[in-house]
Amino acid sequence: MSILVTGGAGFIGSHTCVEMLEAGYDVVVVDNLYNSCAEALHRVEKITGKSVKFYEGDVCDRALLRTIFSENEIEAVIHFAGYKAVGESVKKPMMYYENNLISTIALINVMEEYGVRKLVFSSSATVYAGDNTVPLTEDMKLGAINPYGKTKLFIEEILRDLCASNSDWCVALLRYFNPIGAHKSGLIGESPKGIPNNLMPYISQVAVGKLEKLNVFGNDYETRDGTGSRDYIHVVDLAKGHVKAIEWTLGNTGCDAFNLGTGKGTTVLELRNAFVDVTGIDVPYVIAPRRAGDLDEVYALPDKAKRVLNWQAELTIQDMCEDTWRWQSNNPSGYDE
Ligand code: NAD
Ligand code: UFG
């Protein structure tokens, strides 16, 4: 029996493949390599000493999905495949609705055809409405403000309706906070194409000399030092959360949402300073205007994941900085080396 991982060559997907293989599962990956490369999967194999069966192709392609389900005994699916850049989704909403929604609908239909009804879905903290108080709990008001976030919200709704219609289904909606860091080996990590949108890859590319300085987007937020605060979670902790979520789906039915975060906020300057302390490398910065759509402070209450999934984050901000730097300094151009 195998677990199908869509988008398994990507940042979170590749780390999750490692943890699934190390937990004893066989892994089948489908990825169209739109935002990743096959080298990530070779490295997963190098880390674990186990093989990954890889299908290069699009999750929207039902014929391909049928081939995968026919050729393998798939027990459950982890669905990472999708586009994730918030700014791009505002400029090209149809590209986001098409890829994220159509791929999910195709996947659910083919899963149903093959009687596979266990699914772990990559949702996001971005599904929470901006006017909630922190920490965020799973029952708080939902409401995304950009097309990317709306795709996550719509897919959550689709999956809730699906589970309500057939009690054989079990779906875990995992709401990730801010995944950063890399595997301890330094062999896999985040390899964004072009200039990074997110804070940690930006910091590490300044440190490695690819970018000149960090722009800190606003210092007048209502936080400890005025810069935006987020719940950064080590990608390996996040990946382990998927192993627990798969175990939960295999033994349960219904649909439930879980925050995967640490429960702690860290500001932009705190993260930048931690990175400088851990690596000994300077990261020059300037204060820049606020970025549209950013909130003051976002962090999770992760108690439900602890109670129901028996999972909690263990790694620290220092681990996240150290592991990001090992990956970035060993692979200055990511997988393009
Ligand atoms: P990523 O871009 O590194 O991984 C996504 C993978 O999916 C890529 O390898 C890409 O090539 C593949 N893909 C995209 N569309 C596809 C399609 N139609 N068919 C086949 N493969 C396709 O992103 P990531 O950071 O690993 O994120 C994984 C998931 O987690 C995404 O759904 C993302 O929206 C979600 N998420 C990410 C974050 C974050 O900050 N990284 C936060 C919350 C949620
Ligand atoms: N920031 C900067 N400079 C940068 C980049 C970011 O100051 O160059 C600041 C932002 O203003 C924010 C913080 O760093 O205060 C974190 O920003 P990120 O872009 O790294 O992360 P976000 O919290 O904005 O969003 C991320 C993903 C979303 C996801 C969300 C919750 O990009 O897709 O986490 O999971 F929905």
Side-chain angles (χ1 to χ4, degrees), residues 251-303:
N252 288 278
T253 60
C255 185
D256 215 345
F258 302 96
N259 285 342
L260 297 189
T262 65
K264 288 188 222 81
T266 302
T267 70
V268 175
L269 286 180
E270 285 168 347
L271 188 65
R272 177 262 171 205
N273 294 342
F275 187 92
V276 170
D277 286 348
V278 165
T279 63
I281 294 167
D282 190 29
V283 176
Y285 69 91
V286 289
I287 304 298
R290 286 183 175 207
R291 185 173 66 179
D294 278 351
L295 299 171
D296 300 62
E297 193 168 29
V298 180
Y299 63 94
L301 188 76
D303 293 15

Side-chain angles (χ1 to χ4, degrees), residues 84 86 124-126 148 176-179 197-200 202 214-217 228-230 232 268 291 294-295:
K84 63 165 184 176
V86 173
S124 168
T126 197
Y148 163 69
Y176 311 153
F177 283 68
N178 290 55
N197 297 308
N198 300 115
L199 180 60
M200 188 53 135
Y202 206 103
L214 169 68
N215 296 297
V216 174
F217 297 145
S229 175
R230 296 290 181 274
Y232 297 97
V268 175
R291 185 173 66 179
D294 278 351
L295 299 171

Side-chain angles (χ1 to χ4, degrees), residues 67-87:
T67 303
I68 296 172
F69 279 88
S70 307
E71 291 181 355
N72 301 278
E73 276 193 51
I74 305 292
E75 195 176 5
V77 180
I78 308 178
H79 182 35
F80 292 110
Y83 297 152
K84 63 165 184 176
V86 173

Side-chain angles (χ1 to χ4, degrees), residues 4 23 31 40 42 69 71 81-82 85 90 114 123 181 186 188 218 239 243-244 263-264 280 283 297:
L4 175 63
D31 198 304
H42 299 142
F69 279 88
E71 291 181 355
V90 175
Y114 286 82
S123 188
I188 55 172
V243 177
K244 296 291 191 183
K264 288 188 222 81
V283 176
E297 193 168 29

Side-chain angles (χ1 to χ4, degrees), residues 224-267:
R224 281 187 289 276
D225 58 20
T227 65
S229 175
R230 296 290 181 274
D231 187 340
Y232 297 97
I233 173 168
H234 197 297
V235 65
V236 170
D237 274 335
L238 189 70
K240 289 180 175 163
H242 291 73
V243 177
K244 296 291 191 183
I246 278 291
E247 285 166 4
W248 179 79
T249 61
L250 292 175
N252 288 278
T253 60
C255 185
D256 215 345
F258 302 96
N259 285 342
L260 297 189
T262 65
K264 288 188 222 81
T266 302
T267 70

Side-chain angles (χ1 to χ4, degrees), residues 6-14 30-37 55-61 64 79-85 98-100 102-103 121-126 148 151-152 174-180 189-191 193 198 235 238 242:
T6 79
F11 172 46
I12 307 170
S14 55
V30 56
D31 198 304
N32 62 6
L33 305 183
Y34 173 83
N35 196 36
S36 54
C37 53
Y55 291 84
E56 183 177 341
D58 201 301
V59 180
C60 300
D61 178 353
L64 171 67
H79 182 35
F80 292 110
Y83 297 152
K84 63 165 184 176
E98 179 150 350
N99 191 45
N100 293 5
I102 304 290
S103 62
F121 173 63
S122 294
S123 188
S124 168
T126 197
Y148 163 69
T151 67
K152 295 294 178 192
L174 302 185
R175 295 180 181 155
Y176 311 153
F177 283 68
N178 290 55
I180 61 171
E190 190 168 12
S191 181
K193 296 201 166 140
N198 300 115
V235 65
L238 189 70
H242 291 73

